Amino acid sequence: MPVATLLPFTATPSRKSSSPTSFRLTEKFILLLVFSAFITLCFGAIFFLPDSSKLLSGVFFHSSAVETNTRKGTDSDSNIAVGTDEKILAKIRKDHEKALVEAKDTLQKRPDEIKQDIQNEKDKVLKEGLGKGGKDDDNLPVIEYVRPPGATGHEPSDPETKERREKIKEMMKFAWDSYKRYAWGSNELRPVSMQGHSSNLFGSIKGATIVDALDTLYVMEMYEDFEMATEWVEKNLDFNVNAEVSVFEVNIRFVGGLLSAYYLSGKEVFRKKAIQLGEKLLPAFKTPTGIPWALLNLKSGIGRNWPWASGGSSILAEYGTLHLEFMHLSKLSGNPAFAEKVMNIRKVLNRLDKPQGLYPNYLNPNSGQWGQHHVSVGGLGDSFYEYLLKAWLMSDKTDEEGKKLYYDALQAIETSLMRKSSGGLTYIAEWKGGLLEHKMGHLTCFAGGMIALGADGAPEDKTGHQMEQAAEIARTCHESYARTTLKLGPEGFRFDGGVEAIATRQNEKYFILRPEVIETYMYMWRFTHDPKYREWGWEAVQALEKHCRVEGGYSGVRDVYATSPNHDDVQQSFYLAETLKYLFLLFSDDDHLPFEHWVFNTEAHPLPIHHHSKKAILI
Ligand code: DMJ
């Protein structure tokens, strides 16, 4: 068969007529090969390329268009139809060529480039959203939620640890179920009288236990209860109350709890509620210095200070424990006001002289001057120091000012307040107008964990030294438990009058389910893996079970030196937020809420670290 007869499809009419024999046999063969390769490529492109839907729609759409046009054409249109056919053929050829070029481009891309293209498309869509104002229905910026690593954990491989971890979860279940049963919607539970309890710290805001417990339910994978709590928050959590609240307590428990619940679950309702509440707290900063009031009426926006606080002062641990939450509020709301308020507190403090480098607990918000010179790393002072360190850590170590303020303050504490008893116990005393009071509060015991957490970044090779200090404080606080009858720690213990780590005054002998000692065990365990910290934690679990567990939940006790417990009938919300969470983490692997990605607010609500190098939570 002459090869020429195989060519009518490719040779153009002009070529054919002018020189039918102008192709040699080999040329014709090559042309045939090129033609077959072209057809094969077209089919390959149609069926196997990632963007095949586009190609298919292109090819099939045009094919059917040809068919439709042909069908539509009448006999009288035949001349026009010939011209149209040529045009259509030319278009088909052009589309095929275009598709081939696109297919070739895609094939040449590496997988990471393809991924990047997809990301760019996504960003474009989000930016278009932002272009329109970038606001959602609640007028909040559109945020792409990314769950930070370690929000959930897994069972430890060691059977004893696994069993202990399970036990803590059972305790949480009992505390939560009891609250659900007898006090649902109230702030706290009265586990002896089995009814609700409301402290005036929260005004008439309700549900403190629900909000404080949200993240613990999540980290313990109690998802049904988490959903139930979420629904309550959605339908009932209301801040439009005509009542006075403690700005500090509402911030650490409610704002902190809502923020953590948002970061763990990604549920928008928590972001929305946290911001709403944050906005309600802003009027507290309307003072001549910007140092906030301790108490605020959420409806009128009128603030004041505790009547007992020296000369109308604001309290260091209260105005100094807003930083972490407020920085996150600015991030999540796009409103810089929150961050500005807490950065201004630093400015005011920076301008003041500090006696021996120490921060007095009282500061007058009108004059900007210190009140009574009382310094404490326990009540009234404690979490101010904690938030300096954590502000630095949460900023991915970019907040150099926070870092310096923390290590300078710790140095002053070491020099002026840290002492060793004759029996060899290290403690942090309190300072009143230049005189030391050799007393340490249960609250002060959090400092072991704080010092361990900061030891790694300590200047001048002090890491080892600070780890030793942290371990010594943990030991002292353990002794304060071990030296009682109930094996639970007193509210305050002394190192004078011939005693060490023992409460001598009746009003310091109570235990209200506080977390600080267990918090320190958890940090010490993470940093040292010394098994004694888990053992000490387990001792506390046994004491809690024996003396605090009652029919309707867990209760504090009035005297840890008594032979049998006298219950105070309050299941504090921080028992679920902190004590049980820290216990659970003590018996969990380190990759559950790892310190590289999370910091805990002072109520043990985990907040993510904003990693600047990576694309983190915010777009
Ligand atoms: C909690 O509300 C917080 O830990 C706060 O910083 C101090 N007191 C209680 C728990 O003891």
Side-chain angles (χ1 to χ4, degrees):
M1 194 195 295
V3 179
T5 56
L6 297 171
L7 297 172
F9 301 105
T10 50
T12 60
S14 60
R15 255 186 166 175
K16 238 167 120 186
S17 58
S18 66
S19 178
T21 55
S22 59
F23 293 106
R24 281 205 313 258
L25 190 59
T26 45
E27 285 172 328
K28 286 172 184 168
F29 186 68
I30 287 166
L31 275 170
L32 179 64
L33 275 179
V34 168
F35 176 70
S36 341
F38 175 73
I39 296 294
T40 315
L41 255 173
C42 285
F43 273 90
I46 290 165
F47 292 107
F48 300 114
L49 291 175
D51 207 8
S52 57
S53 61
K54 199 169 159 192
L55 291 171
L56 283 170
S57 72
V59 169
F60 290 137
F61 171 75
H62 291 303
S63 305
S64 59
V66 171
E67 224 181 76
T68 317
N69 284 347
T70 318
R71 273 199 212 118
K72 269 188 191 160
T74 60
D75 284 348
S76 60
D77 292 333
S78 58
N79 285 341
I80 303 166
V82 172
T84 313
D85 280 352
E86 272 172 14
K87 270 192 205 152
I88 290 166
L89 279 170
K91 186 161 183 354
I92 292 172
R93 230 175 271 132
K94 213 173 140 203
D95 285 344
H96 282 187
E97 275 160 21
K98 200 175 149 217
L100 275 171
V101 171
E102 278 183 23
K104 206 173 126 211
D105 280 356
T106 310
L107 275 175
Q108 278 172 351
K109 283 190 177 164
R110 293 191 315 271
D112 55 331
E113 286 176 319
I114 296 172
K115 256 193 207 161
Q116 189 53 51
D117 283 354
I118 296 169
Q119 187 56 50
N120 291 346
E121 276 301 310
K122 263 189 174 174
D123 289 350
K124 215 172 98 191
V125 173
L126 278 165
K127 263 192 207 133
E128 275 164 13
L130 289 169
K132 286 176 210 141
K135 303 279 178 146
D136 62 14
D137 295 346
D138 296 300
N139 211 26
L140 295 177
V142 175
I143 283 180
E144 183 191 12
Y145 170 77
V146 181
R147 182 169 288 109
T152 51
H154 47 81
E155 289 190 333
S157 50
D158 162 45
E160 187 186 61
T161 310
K162 189 175 145 195
E163 203 180 295
R164 289 179 173 186
R165 186 173 180 264
E166 267 309 304
K167 173 64 193 167
I168 311 300
K169 187 167 169 180
E170 186 276 326
M171 292 166 75
M172 175 66 186
K173 207 170 157 22
F174 180 64
W176 175 253
D177 286 346
S178 304
Y179 168 79
K180 246 172 31 187
R181 192 157 166 204
Y182 304 116
W184 184 248
S186 302
N187 280 323
E188 287 170 322
L189 162 71
R190 287 202 176 277
V192 178
S193 50
M194 294 186 240
Q195 57 182 328
H197 162 69
S198 267
S199 125
N200 56 4
L201 294 173
F202 314 117
S204 44
I205 300 181
K206 300 253 175 296
T209 294
I210 299 178
V211 179
D212 236 3
L214 273 165
D215 52 9
T216 309
L217 295 171
Y218 193 96
V219 303
M220 292 189 186
E221 297 181 34
M222 293 167 64
Y223 296 128
E224 266 180 36
D225 293 296
F226 181 80
E227 287 308 321
M228 186 182 179
T230 305
E231 203 185 313
W232 187 90
V233 168
E234 255 158 2
K235 294 190 179 147
N236 302 291
L237 185 59
D238 183 18
F239 311 120
N240 294 314
V241 293
N242 184 6
E244 210 172 46
V245 301
S246 152
V247 173
F248 160 77
E249 294 289 354
V250 163
N251 176 60
I252 65 169
R253 301 192 202 207
F254 283 88
V255 178
L258 291 165
L259 287 173
S260 286
Y262 168 68
Y263 284 118
L264 290 168
S265 71
K267 287 184 192 288
E268 276 291 309
V269 58
F270 298 126
R271 176 169 77 118
K272 197 176 90 185
K273 293 272 181 185
I275 294 167
Q276 270 175 13
L277 179 54
E279 283 165 356
K280 287 255 165 206
L281 296 179
L282 286 175
F285 293 82
K286 279 190 201 149
T287 62
T289 54
I291 295 293
W293 300 113
L295 298 163
L296 179 75
N297 181 302
L298 290 188
K299 183 150 190 236
S300 65
I302 294 174
R304 67 180 175 114
N305 276 337
W306 297 106
W308 49 261
S310 157
S313 290
S314 301
I315 309 287
L316 182 69
E318 297 197 330
Y319 66 77
T321 310
L322 304 166
H323 195 99
L324 304 184
E325 296 81 2
F326 274 49
M327 294 306 274
H328 271 286
L329 285 177
S330 271
K331 239 173 236 163
L332 294 181
S333 66
N335 178 1
F338 299 104
E340 284 164 10
K341 302 286 178 216
V342 288
M343 291 312 288
N344 175 60
I345 294 176
R346 280 221 192 138
K347 257 195 221 153
V348 175
L349 289 177
N350 286 345
R351 283 199 295 261
L352 283 164
D353 281 338
K354 281 119 216 138
Q356 297 176 32
L358 297 167
Y359 290 79
N361 291 337
Y362 300 106
L363 175 63
N364 190 304
N366 294 315
S367 65
Q369 297 303 312
W370 299 121
Q372 193 191 339
H373 278 198
H374 174 204
V375 179
S376 156
V377 183
L380 306 183
D382 50 7
S383 40
F384 161 72
Y385 304 99
E386 176 186 356
Y387 271 36
L388 291 178
L389 170 66
K390 290 180 178 176
W392 174 55
L393 297 174
M394 199 180 81
S395 70
D396 203 14
K397 302 191 176 172
T398 58
D399 180 359
E400 290 293 331
E401 183 183 54
K403 178 184 182 185
K404 183 170 170 7
L405 291 173
Y406 169 71
Y407 289 110
D408 287 353
L410 186 60
Q411 184 55 57
I413 289 166
E414 180 180 347
T415 310
S416 301
L417 307 181
M418 226 180 261
R419 295 289 178 268
K420 199 174 261 223
S421 70
S422 51
L425 294 179
T426 298
Y427 61 96
I428 304 177
E430 301 199 358
W431 193 77
K432 282 186 180 161
L435 291 178
L436 274 192
E437 195 180 2
H438 298 272
K439 163 201 163 185
M440 185 162 168
H442 191 289
L443 289 165
T444 322
C445 287
F446 91 97
M450 175 184 76
I451 295 172
L453 179 65
D456 188 37
E460 300 160 27
D461 292 334
K462 284 200 171 154
T463 302
H465 172 66
Q466 292 193 1
M467 275 313 291
E468 273 167 36
Q469 280 179 338
E472 283 178 26
I473 289 165
R475 184 165 79 93
T476 301
C477 292
H478 174 252
E479 284 303 311
S480 78
Y481 275 51
R483 295 177 187 196
T484 69
T485 320
L486 303 183
K487 306 297 169 210
L488 294 164
E491 180 68 3
F493 42 95
R494 296 191 174 253
F495 298 84
D496 55 16
V499 301
E500 296 201 352
I502 288 179
T504 50
R505 303 186 185 180
Q506 197 52 40
N507 65 359
E508 291 171 346
K509 293 183 178 173
Y510 64 88
F511 169 74
I512 56 168
L513 307 171
R514 285 199 193 276
E516 292 76 15
V517 175
I518 287 161
E519 174 181 351
T520 281
Y521 296 162
M522 191 278 291
Y523 280 100
M524 292 310 295
W525 162 257
R526 283 256 181 119
F527 288 116
T528 66
H529 285 174
D530 183 332
K532 78 173 174 230
Y533 296 113
R534 278 186 165 167
E535 283 315 310
W536 291 354
W538 190 244
E539 285 170 13
V541 168
Q542 288 169 309
L544 284 165
E545 285 299 89
K546 196 164 170 197
H547 304 301
C548 299
R549 189 169 178 145
V550 294
E551 197 191 331
Y554 288 88
S555 168
V557 296
R558 293 206 164 89
D559 184 350
V560 289
Y561 302 95
T563 42
S564 63
N566 180 3
H567 294 115
D568 68 5
D569 201 13
V570 182
Q571 178 176 282
Q572 304 278 346
S573 78
F574 54 66
Y575 181 62
L576 293 88
E578 300 190 70
T579 313
L580 292 174
K581 190 187 287 126
Y582 284 136
L583 276 171
F584 188 75
L585 293 175
L586 176 65
F587 295 107
S588 296
D589 290 347
D590 299 352
D591 57 2
H592 196 180
L593 297 175
F595 296 155
E596 308 92 89
H597 295 290
W598 299 88
V599 293
F600 292 88
N601 89 337
T602 194
E603 188 80 358
H605 294 307
L607 298 172
I609 290 175
H610 181 59
H611 290 293
H612 293 275
S613 48
K614 291 174 209 134
K615 208 166 179 233
I617 304 300
L618 295 175
I619 48 170

